[in-house]
C-alpha cells in the first residue's frame, strides 16, 4: 500500500495552524505525534485562499484513500469534527468515517472513532506491514511531526504539497533546518484560481549530488 502524505503549507513552509479549528488543541511537545503551540497566534491562514478547484481536489484525494494514518493531535481534531458528523454528506467526512484509521501514539488508549487502530509498539514495523500490502493508498493528512518522523525513516512513497500563496512568518515548518535528504520526482503539478499550487512528488531515495572533477 502506497504511503502518501498530504500537507497544507504556506509559501514559507509553515504547516501549523492552517485552520482556525486547530487553535486551542495544542498539547505540550514530547510524544512523536505532538507539537506545542510555541506562542503561535496566526491560525486560519488557509481557508480564505481555498476555491472550488482546490476543494474538489481535496475531496477527490480523500475519496482515493483506502486507509488513513494520523498523529494523535490531528486524529483528535478530525475525530471531534468529521467523526462527530460535521457537514454530513461531504466527501471528506464520508471517506474518513468509512475507511480504516491508524493513529501513531504512545498515549492514546481508548479511541472512540469507529474503525480506529492505535499503533503504539513498533510503529515503524507496523507501518512497514501496511506498506507491504499489494494494493491501495495509506494517506497521512496534517500530522507534521509524524510526517517528519516518517521521512526520517524513509517510509514515505509520495508527497503532496498544497502550497498557499501566503507568508505566515511564524510557526512550525514542514521540513526542519536539519533533517534527512530525500530525492523527489515530480508526478503532477497544477494551480488553482486563487493561486494555490498542488505538487505531487514520488520519493526516489537519497538525492544525487554534483561530483567534483579534476
Amino acid at each position: 500500500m502506497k504511503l502518501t502524505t498530504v500537507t497544507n503549507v504556506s509559501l514559507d513552509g509553515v504547516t501549523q495552524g492552517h485552520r482556525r479549528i486547530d487553535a486551542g488543541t495544542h498539547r505540550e511537545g514530547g510524544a512523536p505525534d505532538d507539537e506545542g503551540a510555541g506562542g503561535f497566534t496566526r491560525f486560519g491562514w488557509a481557508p480564505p485562499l481555498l476555491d472550488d478547484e482546490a476543494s474538489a481536489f481535496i475531496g477527490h484525494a480523500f475519496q482515493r484513500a483506502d486507509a488513513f494514518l494520523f498523529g494523535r493531535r490531528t486524529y483528535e481534531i478530525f475525530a471531534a469534527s468529521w467523526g462527530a458528523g460535521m457537514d454530513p454528506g461531504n466527501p471528506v467526512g464520508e471517506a474518513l468515517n468509512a475507511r480504516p484509521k491508524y493513529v501513531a501514539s504512545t498515549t492514546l488508549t481508548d479511541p472512540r472513532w469507529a474503525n480506529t487502530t492505535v499503533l503504539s509498539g513498533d510503529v515503524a514495523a507496523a507501518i512497514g506491514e501496511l506498506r507491504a500490502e499489494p494494493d491501495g493508498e495509506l494517506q497521512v493528512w496534517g500530522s507534521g511531526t509524524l510526517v517528519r518522523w516518517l521521512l526520517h525513516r524513509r517510509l514515505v512513497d509520495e508527497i503532496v504539497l498544497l502550497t498557499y500563496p501566503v507568508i505566515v512568518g511564524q510557526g512550525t515548518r514542514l521540513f526542519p533546518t536539519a533533517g534527512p535528504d530525500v530525492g523527489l520526482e515530480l508526478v503532477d503539478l497544477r494551480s488553482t484560481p486563487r493561486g494555490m499550487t498542488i505538487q505531487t512528488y514520488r520519493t526516489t531515495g537519497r538525492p544525487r549530488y554534483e561530483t567534483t572533477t579534476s
Side-chain angles (χ1 to χ4, degrees):
M1 187 153 51
K2 175 176 69 174
L3 192 153
T4 302
T5 65
V6 189
T7 308
N8 295 278
V9 60
S10 69
L11 195 61
D12 56 337
V14 174
T15 59
Q16 188 173 3
H18 76 282
R19 295 183 304 161
R20 172 59 57 181
I21 196 171
D22 295 344
T25 63
H26 299 276
R27 63 185 71 241
E28 292 303 314
D33 53 334
D34 290 336
E35 292 176 356
F40 184 84
T41 59
R42 298 173 184 175
F43 292 96
W45 46 265
L49 297 169
L50 281 173
D51 51 40
D52 290 343
E53 192 170 324
S55 297
F57 176 89
I58 292 169
H60 290 319
F62 270 96
Q63 288 288 322
R64 190 180 73 217
D66 296 280
F68 298 97
L69 172 65
F70 299 108
R72 175 165 181 169
R73 187 170 60 84
T74 301
Y75 173 81
E76 289 178 337
I77 292 170
F78 278 38
S81 51
W82 299 112
M86 181 182 78
D87 198 4
N90 186 291
V92 174
E94 287 181 350
L96 284 168
N97 283 295
R99 316 272 163 73
K101 293 166 285 291
Y102 298 91
V103 189
S105 176
T106 58
T107 56
L108 182 64
T109 57
D110 185 26
R112 310 219 171 161
W113 199 1
N115 300 321
T116 296
T117 300
V118 178
L119 308 179
S120 59
D122 189 339
V123 176
I127 293 172
E129 290 179 4
L130 292 171
R131 290 176 71 227
E133 295 182 9
D135 298 302
E137 182 173 8
L138 177 65
Q139 288 185 358
V140 182
W141 286 81
S143 309
T145 301
L146 175 61
V147 170
R148 289 184 286 275
W149 185 89
L150 292 167
L151 286 170
H152 185 74
R153 286 156 181 80
R154 305 196 182 276
L155 293 172
V156 177
D157 300 298
E158 202 163 88
I159 296 172
V160 180
L161 299 178
L162 284 68
T163 305
Y164 293 73
V166 60
I167 297 172
V168 178
Q170 64 170 229
T172 304
R173 267 67 174 175
L174 176 59
F175 303 113
T177 55
D181 52 350
V182 181
L184 302 173
E185 176 186 355
L186 184 65
V187 175
D188 186 59
L189 174 64
R190 62 186 74 186
S191 61
T192 70
R194 291 191 182 173
M196 180 195 294
T197 59
I198 304 171
Q199 305 127 288
T200 302
Y201 296 99
R202 183 181 299 116
T203 60
T204 60
R206 293 196 63 192
R208 297 175 61 184
Y209 293 96
E210 182 182 18
T211 58
T212 59
T213 57
S214 55

